[in-house]
Amino acid sequence: MSQTASLEIKLKRINKIYHEGEVLGGILIVQSKTDVNHQGISLFIDGTVALSLSSKNVGVFEAFYNSVKYTIKAEMKTGLLKKDLSEQTEFFIQYMPKVPEELAESKYVDFALEPEKLKKKDKNLVVPDFKVTGTMANTVHSMLKPYTGSIQVVHSHTPIRSIEVQLVRVETCGCAEGYSKDVTEIQNIQIADGDVCRGLDIPIYMVFPRLFSCPSVQANNFKIEFEVNLVIVFNDSKRTCVTENFPILIGRY
């Protein structure tokens, strides 16, 4: 066999995402400039879970992050005097639970941001005179669908520098001795740049990142939650920043 021979696995689905009960299909391409003699081709599928301790320990309980990976591997036996050929590629398996119809329908939550409302949370807060209204997607949301909404700057005496939408993951774990909470910003999307027109609807469209998000989880010793932050940065000397928080429950349906 020529030393330039190689294998290539091509799955039928470009995104390589499959669900329970579906067939993992594709083709195995053998590339060689000469004839290929072999003693059989085998396919293997492996599922692995890698555990790694986090840097934060709480009492006798140690928090860990896990990573589940699935790979399909092809091996071609070429004989005793020749090196066997192998190739592998990763694919993804997603669990698709049945969700009640009332959760499958998208609903929107209206909101309004202005100094009077923000000062109820923090009396010492100093912010410019402004008002922003809008709608955000339902607090229960499918991670397979984009998070949508819209905002509108009604008025602002101070010019606006930018408007951003952040997706935050909150991981809490521990036991009776104490809990550890880790907040991670996993995505930041700028939806407006500069002093936007007043009264203009600005759309919000955010796709959940597959490798950094998952369905919300809540158990006795740990939970994984997600939040969406609307961040407004003003173009003043202090670059004043105003943030509104929207906790969301993510599912896969």
XYZ file of all heavy atoms in Angstrom, residues 102 109 117 128 138-139 155 181 184 192 219 253:
95
model
N -47.475 24.450 27.076
C -47.438 25.827 27.563
C -46.031 26.376 27.646
O -45.821 27.586 27.627
C -48.101 25.922 28.949
C -47.467 25.044 30.006
C -48.114 23.684 30.098
O -48.783 23.300 29.108
O -47.959 23.012 31.127
N -41.567 39.290 28.007
C -41.687 40.027 29.266
C -41.337 41.489 29.000
O -40.233 41.795 28.549
C -40.755 39.433 30.339
C -40.871 40.229 31.628
C -41.065 37.961 30.570
N -36.313 53.577 39.118
C -36.399 52.139 39.362
C -35.072 51.585 39.860
O -35.027 50.726 40.756
C -36.825 51.429 38.076
C -36.967 49.928 38.238
C -37.394 49.275 36.946
C -37.492 47.772 37.099
N -37.893 47.101 35.826
N -27.244 58.845 34.744
C -27.834 59.931 33.944
C -29.352 59.782 33.859
O -29.912 58.718 34.155
C -27.171 59.742 32.573
C -25.946 58.930 32.839
C -26.293 58.036 33.982
N -39.283 34.899 26.983
C -39.830 34.252 28.173
C -38.726 33.774 29.107
O -37.637 33.408 28.681
C -40.697 33.061 27.732
C -41.509 32.497 28.880
O -41.541 33.067 29.955
N -42.152 31.376 28.638
N -39.003 33.758 30.401
C -38.013 33.295 31.380
C -37.745 31.803 31.251
O -36.734 31.312 31.720
C -38.491 33.600 32.806
O -39.806 33.037 33.001
C -38.565 35.104 33.027
N -35.600 58.189 25.849
C -34.844 59.434 25.927
C -33.602 59.214 26.775
O -33.540 58.311 27.612
C -35.696 60.581 26.496
C -36.056 60.389 27.944
N -35.200 60.673 28.990
C -37.205 59.943 28.522
C -35.790 60.421 30.136
N -37.003 59.973 29.887
N -19.857 29.519 44.763
C -20.614 30.061 43.638
C -19.662 30.667 42.626
O -18.832 31.500 42.965
C -21.607 31.119 44.133
C -22.570 31.617 43.069
C -23.598 32.550 43.680
C -24.615 33.021 42.657
N -25.629 33.925 43.249
N -19.790 33.052 35.494
C -18.959 33.142 34.290
C -19.741 33.792 33.152
O -20.852 33.371 32.831
C -18.489 31.746 33.835
O -17.838 31.087 34.919
C -17.530 31.862 32.666
N -25.870 47.555 19.902
C -25.910 48.956 19.462
C -24.563 49.599 19.727
O -23.948 49.366 20.768
C -27.020 49.725 20.176
N -30.146 20.559 41.914
C -30.133 19.375 42.765
C -29.820 19.807 44.190
O -29.654 20.995 44.475
C -29.102 18.358 42.253
N -35.751 21.466 24.132
C -37.001 20.950 23.565
C -37.294 21.639 22.249
O -36.665 22.622 21.915
C -38.163 21.122 24.546
C -38.380 22.526 25.026
C -39.238 23.396 24.324
C -37.748 23.014 26.163
C -39.458 24.684 24.760
C -37.977 24.311 26.608
C -38.816 25.134 25.915
O -39.029 26.414 26.354
